[in-house]
Amino acid sequence: MRKFTAFACGTGAGLTAYYFQKLRDPQFAVHNSWTNSETPVRECAQWDSNWDFRNPKSLVKPQKNDLPQEQNRYNSELEKSSPKYARHIILIRHGEYLDMGSSDETHHLTDRGRLQAKYTGKRLHELGIKWDKVIASNMVRAQETADIILNEITYDRAKVKSCSFLREGAPIPPQPPVGHWKPEASFYRDGARIEAAFRRYFHRAYPDQEKESYTLIVGHGNVIRYFVCRALQFPAEAWLRININHASITWLTISPSGNVSIKYLGDTGFMPAKHLTNRIPRDAKNVV
């Protein structure tokens, strides 16, 4: 009996090793039914834990040897470089505006856009968030939206920052392509700027952060959609597949480990249905 058991266990282990070896062979890779990609999902969906270049292990000088003194040095520096708290980034799209005139200075919020911003401000107030930073695109419609929101929340207006990196633009050619919209020049002009904005605001906490932090960013639809794709490590080219309403709330959380999760995506459930919009009105007649 013992010989048979040993034989069976040995055979089972051998078969297991054989099948695991086969699974490594590309011809045996299993594809999900919803994709025809030649790259197996198990190979292409790996999370990059150092996406923000702030993984503590990448910031600390590696161990030279296995001596206790060197191990203590490495562990101590690793501990000092490790964040302890999460960062919450809340993104607000500006309210509805009227695209009249050839310059940004003429693109003011509509009456409905101002109402949208007020509802959003009230919602943020109800959430009871204590804000660490408030940043807004320096475009008129974002500035006006931020100003209305600040009437509803508790934050020192003098500390609000304006950022030109957050201006609206075309971040990257979308997939699938949009036949009637080919702003190639915009991609070259805006893409690097919007990516720079992402790197400026999206990263795990600094090691000396002593509590969870909350950053409010008032910006634009294209930029927010691109940020969502980049932060969740979805294909950035998918940004145009996402739709978010005017004055909507998108909430992303970056954990101390660098993992990113999304709490709200374009939330406007707090707003009366008659005020929900996501496109620019064609003329003043369509404005509340």
Side-chain angles (χ1 to χ4, degrees):
M1 179 65 71
R2 290 180 180 175
K3 291 182 180 179
F4 176 78
T5 302
F7 172 76
C9 290
T11 302
L15 286 172
T16 301
Y18 170 80
Y19 283 119
F20 272 113
Q21 182 63 36
K22 283 295 185 184
L23 285 174
R24 295 192 185 97
D25 191 326
Q27 68 175 317
F28 288 96
V30 177
H31 301 279
N32 283 307
S33 60
W34 40 262
T35 179
N36 58 5
S37 172
E38 291 301 319
T39 303
V41 172
R42 59 185 169 84
E43 293 183 7
C44 68
Q46 296 297 314
W47 177 260
D48 177 9
S49 62
N50 197 30
W51 60 274
D52 60 348
F53 303 103
R54 300 193 186 201
N55 187 321
K57 291 183 178 179
S58 70
L59 302 175
V60 174
K61 187 177 180 180
Q63 284 186 218
K64 296 179 180 178
N65 52 57
D66 294 330
L67 294 176
Q69 183 177 358
E70 179 64 9
Q71 290 179 348
N72 290 338
R73 189 277 307 168
Y74 176 78
N75 291 333
S76 176
E77 292 184 7
L78 193 65
E79 177 67 18
K80 291 178 181 178
S81 301
S82 299
K84 308 298 188 298
Y85 296 94
R87 292 187 66 228
H88 301 277
I89 302 176
I90 293 83
L91 303 157
I92 309 297
R93 186 186 179 190
H94 58 76
E96 179 190 67
Y97 73 102
L98 203 55
D99 188 8
M100 298 184 69
S102 58
S103 67
D104 174 55
E105 287 70 20
T106 63
H107 296 169
H108 295 282
L109 295 183
T110 63
D111 289 342
R112 180 162 54 197
R114 298 183 68 82
L115 274 174
Q116 292 167 342
K118 184 168 182 143
Y119 279 116
T120 300
K122 288 182 177 295
R123 178 60 169 173
L124 294 174
H125 175 74
E126 291 171 357
L127 291 174
I129 299 170
K130 184 176 181 180
W131 301 100
D132 295 275
K133 294 181 181 179
V134 176
I135 306 152
S137 158
N138 65 351
M139 298 187 84
V140 167
R141 54 190 181 272
Q143 290 284 313
E144 291 182 344
T145 300
D147 188 61
I148 294 169
I149 289 174
L150 285 165
N151 289 332
E152 306 298 331
I153 66 174
T154 303
Y155 191 79
D156 185 354
R157 288 175 178 271
K159 295 182 179 179
V160 177
K161 303 294 184 182
S162 294
C163 180
S164 60
F165 283 23
L166 292 169
R167 293 175 70 88
E168 182 63 301
I172 190 173
Q175 288 293 334
V178 179
H180 64 278
W181 183 61
K182 298 180 180 179
E184 285 81 1
S186 297
F187 297 131
Y188 290 112
R189 181 188 64 219
D190 302 331
R193 169 180 58 77
I194 296 172
E195 173 63 17
F198 174 79
R199 292 187 178 276
R200 172 178 288 186
Y201 298 115
F202 281 80
H203 54 79
R204 70 195 78 187
Y206 289 103
D208 60 356
Q209 183 171 305
E210 298 179 348
K211 61 181 179 62
E212 294 194 5
S213 65
Y214 295 82
T215 298
L216 180 65
I217 297 178
V218 182
H220 307 271
N222 293 352
V223 177
I224 292 172
R225 294 184 286 180
Y226 177 78
F227 283 175
V228 168
C229 289
R230 286 284 284 110
L232 298 178
Q233 296 189 22
F234 295 163
E237 294 83 0
W239 65 273
L240 198 55
R241 304 176 207 172
I242 302 171
N243 180 62
I244 58 174
N245 287 336
H246 288 124
S248 60
I249 300 175
T250 295
W251 183 327
L252 292 157
T253 299
I254 305 174
S255 72
S257 68
N259 290 346
V260 182
S261 60
I262 189 164
K263 185 173 184 178
Y264 304 145
L265 176 60
D267 178 31
T268 48
F270 51 86
M271 203 178 293
K274 66 180 180 180
H275 294 315
L276 299 181
T277 60
N278 55 62
R279 294 182 180 276
I280 304 170
R282 294 182 178 180
D283 54 59
K285 295 179 181 179
N286 297 323
V287 179
V288 172

